[in-house]
Amino acid sequence: MLDLTGKKALVLGIANNRSIAWGIAQQLHAAGAELGITYLPDERGRHEKKVKDLVEPLSPTLFLPCNVQDDQQVTELFSNVKDSWGNFDILVHCLAFAGKDELSGDFSGTSRQGFTTALEISAYSLVHLSAAAKPLLSSGGSIVTLTYLGGVRVIPNYNVMGTAKAALEMNVRYLAAEMGAQNVRVNAISAGPIRTLASSAVGGILDMIHHVEEIAPLKRTVTQTEVGNAAAFLCSDLSSGITGQVLYVDAGYEIMGM
Ligand code: NAD
Ligand code: 0WE
């Protein structure tokens, strides 16, 4: 049985009710985990209010700001986690960002700053958060991140995010090799395209979703709930022998050649 009772899970990346991280948080809660939620702070506190209202039914015991570009916010986050929870069990990393300019046009037009920002927020953040979490993660703990096929194959316009996801997937392997010594596992879920805040801002996402509905073995896209269930599995003791892997939750799309 998938049972996360007694486990504490810190989830980063909820922006609204379409976020993949929201699907994951709901399934972790359903399996009995105690939740800590972070949000990306903005000047007016609108994200804070929105995310706070959304997650209230999951009764998180921690609710804290974290912009991964700010070292101090990461330090304060884990100092709060340590004070309130002591050790914890699960870290869910569900965030990515590239400037809009970088997500269309020629890949060779990627700017130095655009490249740096995309890799900093989307890939380096997993390394940084894992380092900060490491002294607090219990034996049997699990780190899960979200990736996309565009890190392995060329997907039109995914551009520098593809480079960032390739780096992220390699981070998973190096982190898994290191964290195995303390019986902490590190894995990624490669989700098929889902309409979320991040993906809806991308031109042609609907055409991409229709393409998947035609080609994927299951003839449909996946849902936040299906990604959430796979994440709950990777966070649970049911997956105790699995680390350093990329698990495709994509209705089978990745296997197809034509
Ligand atoms: P989303 O917009 O709901 O989530 C992205 C999150 O990143 C937001 O919560 C945002 O606040 C956060 N974020 C951005 N910059 C940040 C920063 N500097 N510090 C902290 N947080 C920051 O979109 P989503 O589609 O749910 O994306 C979540 C993850 O899933 C991403 O890693 C994305 O690459 C991945 N993914 C998405 C799809 C898809 O089709 N939607 C498919 C595969 C993988
Ligand atoms: O990882 C992602 C989304 C990543 C993303 C999206 C945005 C849009 C708004 C990162 N940064 C930004 N920055 C913005 O300003 N996905 C897997 C969804 C996605 O994004 C694509 C896709 C798919 C699928 C971009 C181009 C092509 C396909």
Side-chain angles (χ1 to χ4, degrees):
M1 252 280 285
L2 206 160
D3 182 15
L4 297 175
T5 51
K7 297 212 192 234
K8 299 185 185 79
L10 186 65
V11 178
L12 291 87
I14 301 179
N16 59 33
N17 66 348
R18 281 195 165 170
S19 295
I20 293 176
W22 170 237
I24 295 174
Q26 288 178 95
Q27 298 315 308
L28 297 182
H29 174 77
E34 177 179 345
L35 294 180
I37 304 287
T38 75
Y39 60 92
L40 178 62
D42 59 354
E43 302 95 58
R44 292 190 185 168
R46 277 145 120 235
H47 291 156
E48 174 174 7
K49 168 107 177 70
K50 191 170 194 163
V51 179
K52 198 182 174 81
D53 290 350
L54 178 67
V55 301
E56 203 205 36
L58 309 186
S59 333
T61 53
L62 279 177
F63 184 75
L64 296 162
C66 183
N67 181 336
V68 296
Q69 285 190 291
D70 183 345
D71 283 344
Q72 202 187 322
Q73 287 187 33
V74 173
T75 305
E76 273 172 29
L77 169 65
F78 286 95
S79 129
N80 274 304
V81 169
K82 188 180 180 186
D83 291 346
S84 305
W85 280 356
N87 289 352
F88 74 110
D89 306 282
I90 295 164
L91 178 69
V92 177
H93 173 279
C94 199
L95 47 94
F97 182 82
K100 211 164 192 309
D101 290 352
E102 317 298 338
L103 295 175
S104 65
D106 286 343
F107 176 70
S108 65
T110 305
S111 68
R112 188 187 300 270
Q113 188 56 55
F115 186 99
T116 304
T117 301
L119 271 91
E120 181 192 351
I121 297 179
S122 313
Y124 177 69
S125 62
L126 181 71
V127 180
H128 189 193
L129 293 164
S130 298
K134 188 176 175 178
L136 304 179
L137 281 171
S138 314
S139 175
S142 174
I143 299 176
V144 173
T145 187
L146 263 290
T147 186
Y148 178 58
L149 184 61
V152 178
R153 312 255 184 83
V154 174
I155 307 284
N157 297 323
Y158 200 61
N159 292 3
V160 74
M161 272 306 306
T163 312
K165 291 304 192 188
L168 180 74
E169 292 182 19
M170 206 61 221
N171 289 344
V172 165
R173 299 184 188 100
Y174 276 95
L175 289 168
E178 173 185 336
M179 303 274 189
Q182 65 180 74
N183 193 30
V184 169
R185 299 178 295 106
V186 187
N187 294 288
I189 292 173
S190 187
I194 301 179
R195 282 190 75 178
T196 63
L197 183 65
S199 72
S200 300
V202 167
I205 187 76
L206 271 183
D207 292 340
M208 231 168 327
I209 285 173
H210 289 139
H211 174 76
V212 167
E213 288 168 351
E214 213 170 283
I215 303 296
L218 297 180
K219 303 296 173 209
R220 61 176 180 84
T221 53
V222 295
T223 65
Q224 284 86 340
T225 305
E226 289 177 308
V227 175
N229 282 329
F233 165 71
L234 287 176
C235 292
S236 79
D237 300 338
L238 289 182
S239 61
S240 56
I242 303 176
T243 194
Q245 293 300 309
V246 178
L247 178 60
Y248 281 79
V249 180
D250 67 344
Y253 182 85
E254 183 266 344
I255 65 168
M256 301 303 291
M258 278 281 274

